[in-house]
Amino acid sequence: MRLGIVGAGQSACTLLAELVQGEFDGQILVFNGEPHRPYRRPPLSKSWLKMSADTDTLRLLPEPVENHISIQWIKEWVKSIQPDNGEIHTEQASYQVDQIILATGTRPRQLTIEGLPSETTHVIRTLDDAEKLRQHVDHAENITVIGAGFLAFEIAASLNHPDRTIRIVAKGNRLLPQVSLKTAHRLVDSSPALTQVDTKIESYDANSKSLTTNRGPVPADLVIVAAGAIPNTEVAMRCGLGTTDGIVTDVFMQTPHPKVSAIGEVSLHHQPHLGKSKRVESISEANDSAATCAKRLLGHPVPFGAIPWFWSDQGQLKLQIAGLCARSDDETCLIFSDTECVVIRHCGDRVTAIEAINVAKEFMAARRLFECGVVSLSALVEAGSVFDLLQSSRS
Ligand SMILES: Cc1cc2nc3c(=O)[nH]c(=O)nc-3n(C[C@H](O)[C@H](O)[C@H](O)COP(=O)(O)OP(=O)(O)OC[C@H]3O[C@@H](n4cnc5c(N)ncnc54)[C@H](O)[C@@H]3O)c2cc1C
């Protein structure tokens, strides 16, 4: 069998590693649209931005997998696919394969701000983006990050310096809406950034080097846009498969076309833990969806059943989340100290997610508990800690 993988990011590389390990009997063409060998993205907003990492530490694939005889790297951007004929088209050539796996990820949402010069505006998705930002950041005294999510706060923590003022401005009325209010408060309080919500950006004034907003001018020698991501579904949409929300797959990562699969954060599929379909942007989703796809391609299909998890480094605070919850889910806090806490997200007595700050032991226990089945709030509160509940459920 001949596979064509479009994209060479986290999910594509996990798929490669699983196929090599599973002794896949065939040839694999990998289309890498970026000029670099595969690299990890999470450090780009963390150690890489703090200048405490070099390119080698970003490397995604071990040498034996990257140079495996079954893999052919094609440094070209895929323009279109023709699933019925098993064809993949780039600017330069066409390739024939039996199965196409779309692992195209997302790209940053861009904002058009009148008067804002392109050299003053940055995003962080690729290594080139992060490199460009690192080159410009030294000269900036006022950095404004537009966004309200983890990425905005990670960037602020990484760029923190006594000679700089970092501001985070958000359009909505809530910072870090992905997490509970209690967790968000802790992260915002510990952030070095000045924060401002309900802020609508109108334009950029190059003379005063500031953003003009409905809440007055915001100084900004440098603007970083961290306002969410858009799934790269164009290749799929051109052949009637994707939507602007993602590429719909079943729980085996198969699209409605028998020759096309989609993995990673571009895939929109049923999340058993949540009980509905959702596109999830995280390393765990990239790895678990790729592993599911690999099992199917190796002839041992197992439906996607992973418990999603996520982490974010925010200066001295390490946030880890097990599970996936709706934004409206309730929250109950188990406090251990000023710097350590666990917030239980729940819908009635059913626990949907567990947020742990600086307590890796609780986070690991939460993942194990979810894997064992339903977790109830009453049992957790009675036990007083996730770890203790896990221990008592084992004895
Ligand atoms: C700065 C940053 C920090 C992050 N931090 C965290 C974190 O702390 N924790 C966490 O869980 N997640 C984090 N993430 C998210 C995580 O990196 C992604 O969820 C993961 O990389 C998704 O993997 P993927 O394979 O779906 O997409 P990607 O890794 O983005 O790979 C997609 C690849 O496909 C290529 N491509 C797209 N279209 C084409 C085409 N037509 N032809 C050829 N190639 C194409 C792209 O160039 C890209 O290389 C972070 C992401 C970023 C950007």
Side-chain angles (χ1 to χ4, degrees), residues 213-337:
T213 79
N214 60 326
R215 302 191 58 200
V218 177
D221 318 331
L222 195 139
V223 174
I224 304 169
V225 180
I230 296 172
N232 292 322
T233 58
E234 288 74 11
V235 167
M237 282 173 78
R238 263 175 232 129
C239 61
L241 282 175
T243 73
T244 49
D245 286 342
I247 304 171
V248 177
T249 71
D250 63 15
V251 286
F252 299 96
M253 305 302 126
Q254 172 95 60
T255 71
H257 196 289
K259 286 189 180 173
V260 184
S261 308
I263 56 173
E265 59 184 32
V266 77
S267 74
L268 173 62
H269 61 88
H270 183 73
Q271 297 281 347
H273 176 78
L274 194 63
K276 64 177 186 180
S277 276
K278 189 172 164 60
R279 209 175 51 72
V280 176
E281 293 172 10
S282 76
I283 293 292
S284 84
E285 167 68 20
N287 291 344
D288 293 331
S289 62
T292 302
C293 186
K295 288 192 184 86
R296 197 190 85 233
L297 294 168
L298 290 165
H300 317 291
V302 179
F304 182 94
I307 307 293
W309 59 272
F310 183 81
W311 88 95
S312 175
D313 292 346
Q314 310 273 341
Q316 300 303 309
L317 302 186
K318 185 171 187 79
L319 168 70
Q320 292 168 294
I321 306 172
L324 202 58
C325 68
R327 289 191 179 180
S328 55
D329 282 2
D330 291 326
E331 54 185 85
T332 297
C333 191
L334 306 176
I335 297 173
F336 303 112
S337 74

Side-chain angles (χ1 to χ4, degrees), residues 6-12 31-34 41-42 44-46 76-78 103-106 124-125 151 154 232 235 263-266 281-283 286 310-312:
V6 185
Q10 183 74 36
S11 60
F31 295 83
N32 182 6
E34 294 190 46
R41 292 179 203 277
L44 298 181
S45 52
K46 306 175 182 76
E76 291 175 38
W77 195 258
V78 169
T104 48
T106 61
I124 303 191
R125 178 76 205 175
L151 188 56
E154 280 188 359
N232 292 322
V235 167
I263 56 173
E265 59 184 32
V266 77
E281 293 172 10
S282 76
I283 293 292
F310 183 81
W311 88 95
S312 175

Side-chain angles (χ1 to χ4, degrees), residues 22-95:
E23 298 182 353
F24 173 73
D25 185 16
Q27 201 192 356
I28 310 168
L29 309 185
V30 191
F31 295 83
N32 182 6
E34 294 190 46
H36 307 283
R37 66 197 332 187
Y39 61 89
R40 296 183 295 128
R41 292 179 203 277
L44 298 181
S45 52
K46 306 175 182 76
S47 51
W48 178 263
L49 209 50
K50 281 192 257 179
M51 316 269 180
S52 60
D54 59 28
T55 327
D56 269 356
T57 63
L58 300 181
R59 191 170 176 168
L60 193 45
L61 276 179
E63 188 97 30
V65 178
E66 195 172 324
N67 296 326
H68 196 268
I69 191 159
S70 65
I71 301 172
Q72 184 185 342
W73 294 94
I74 300 168
K75 280 203 168 285
E76 291 175 38
W77 195 258
V78 169
K79 293 274 169 205
S80 63
I81 57 170
Q82 280 184 341
D84 289 346
N85 311 332
E87 280 174 12
I88 297 179
H89 302 283
T90 68
E91 201 73 76
Q92 288 83 10
S94 293
Y95 300 82

